[in-house]
Amino acid sequence: MYKKRMMLMALQMIRQFRDPYYQGFAAQMAFYFILSIVPIMIVLSQILGIVSISLNVLDDLVTQYVSEDVAELLENFLTYVPTGKMNAAFVIVALWSASKAQIAMMRMANYTMTEGQSTGKGFFRDRLRALRTITFTLFTVAFALVILVYGELVFKLLVSTVINSPSAEYEIHRVWLNLRWPVSLALYFFMVSYNYYALSYVKVKFKEVMPGSIFASVGMLVVTFFYSVYTKYVGNFDIIYGSLASSVALMFWFFFLAWTLGLGVMFNKVFADTKVI
């Protein structure tokens, strides 16, 4: 029975791929990702500034998990983000600009969930929903970075109220090293799930977006890993694209990530449609 359901899900996803709408989706998302980078970094720098965390933390993570070309270009974005205090109006404008990628994702999600009947409910309603979603997403990212930076200190303070022993400090440090990445990955998964839940106007229960969220969350990590290996050991964008190699490498990475996010939405749709089988 499960095998039959998986076969039907695969066939339905292939059928969706044949829809011309999806052919330009990933390229559109990659383009809007590029346009959103700087506004996202501007707002994120302001949020992290409240807890005295620099974007260098994000820079360190980027250099560990993406290719050298992509890391170099992203470092430029991180380096030239203004760090001074900004007024609320400027932050709102930056959020508005950062929500472009959310709009593209929202249209694709609505198109999929309504079987091509609708992509949204009007410019302003779509923009406001995208604005709310990108704000939540950025606060989730900021909270994950706060956990990575200050988590051990907070964890140590909490544990020390129960266990007051100098010899326990090493154990606390070891436990935290094992906990920090699972906690951060859980926040990352929750961020993806919330976007799937909030961007579609079709009302679904939060648990109903879990299958696609798992698919997309794992898929983006896998895509990033293999793309990093490919660009490091196989691909050489410099030969064809010259000085544009870094930008092209970044676009390709975003293109594959966009397809993974799109497949997550499709997976939720076919998972729900085949539930009674």
Side-chain angles (χ1 to χ4, degrees), residues 30 72 87 89 115 151 215 242 257 262:
E72 181 182 352
N87 58 45
E115 299 182 353
F215 182 92
L257 291 179

Side-chain angles (χ1 to χ4, degrees), residues 92-160:
I92 292 173
V93 170
L95 276 172
W96 186 275
S97 300
S99 66
K100 288 183 173 67
Q102 306 293 115
I103 287 290
M105 188 68 195
M106 179 191 298
R107 289 171 179 166
M108 187 270 184
N110 284 308
Y111 186 89
T112 301
M113 300 305 290
T114 62
E115 299 182 353
Q117 298 301 310
S118 172
T119 58
K121 292 191 175 181
F123 178 81
F124 288 106
R125 288 187 66 178
D126 291 352
R127 275 291 184 177
L128 289 174
R129 179 168 288 218
L131 191 64
R132 183 188 68 189
T133 309
I134 191 63
T135 302
F136 178 86
T137 299
L138 288 176
F139 271 102
T140 305
V141 171
F143 187 57
L145 293 175
V146 168
I147 286 177
L148 290 176
V149 175
Y150 294 122
E152 183 176 0
L153 177 61
V154 174
F155 184 65
K156 189 180 297 184
L157 288 173
L158 291 175
V159 174
S160 63

Side-chain angles (χ1 to χ4, degrees), residues 23-166:
Q23 303 309 308
F25 160 73
Q28 182 185 31
M29 279 286 291
F31 174 74
Y32 282 124
F33 276 147
I34 290 288
L35 291 184
S36 300
I37 288 179
V38 173
I40 284 174
M41 295 305 172
I42 289 173
V43 178
L44 192 58
S45 68
Q46 301 306 300
I47 297 173
L48 293 176
I50 297 173
V51 288
S52 301
I53 295 179
S54 169
L55 282 175
N56 291 333
V57 175
L58 191 58
D59 187 13
D60 293 338
L61 291 174
V62 165
T63 54
Q64 289 180 38
Y65 297 105
V66 300
S67 66
E68 292 181 5
D69 288 338
V70 172
E72 181 182 352
L73 187 59
L74 288 175
E75 283 173 10
N76 292 333
F77 289 129
L78 293 171
T79 302
Y80 292 106
V81 169
T83 56
K85 293 188 179 298
M86 302 175 188
N87 58 45
F90 186 84
V91 172
I92 292 173
V93 170
L95 276 172
W96 186 275
S97 300
S99 66
K100 288 183 173 67
Q102 306 293 115
I103 287 290
M105 188 68 195
M106 179 191 298
R107 289 171 179 166
M108 187 270 184
N110 284 308
Y111 186 89
T112 301
M113 300 305 290
T114 62
E115 299 182 353
Q117 298 301 310
S118 172
T119 58
K121 292 191 175 181
F123 178 81
F124 288 106
R125 288 187 66 178
D126 291 352
R127 275 291 184 177
L128 289 174
R129 179 168 288 218
L131 191 64
R132 183 188 68 189
T133 309
I134 191 63
T135 302
F136 178 86
T137 299
L138 288 176
F139 271 102
T140 305
V141 171
F143 187 57
L145 293 175
V146 168
I147 286 177
L148 290 176
V149 175
Y150 294 122
E152 183 176 0
L153 177 61
V154 174
F155 184 65
K156 189 180 297 184
L157 288 173
L158 291 175
V159 174
S160 63
T161 59
V162 180
I163 305 174
N164 190 11
S165 171

Side-chain angles (χ1 to χ4, degrees), residues 4 30 42 57 61-62 81 93 122 136 145-146 174 177 185 187 191 193 199 212 215 229 235 261 267-268 272:
K4 181 180 179 181
I42 289 173
V57 175
L61 291 174
V62 165
V81 169
V93 170
F136 178 86
L145 293 175
V146 168
R174 186 175 62 83
L177 288 179
L185 288 173
L187 287 171
M191 177 186 68
S193 301
L199 288 177
F215 182 92
V229 172
L261 283 168
F267 192 88
N268 277 332

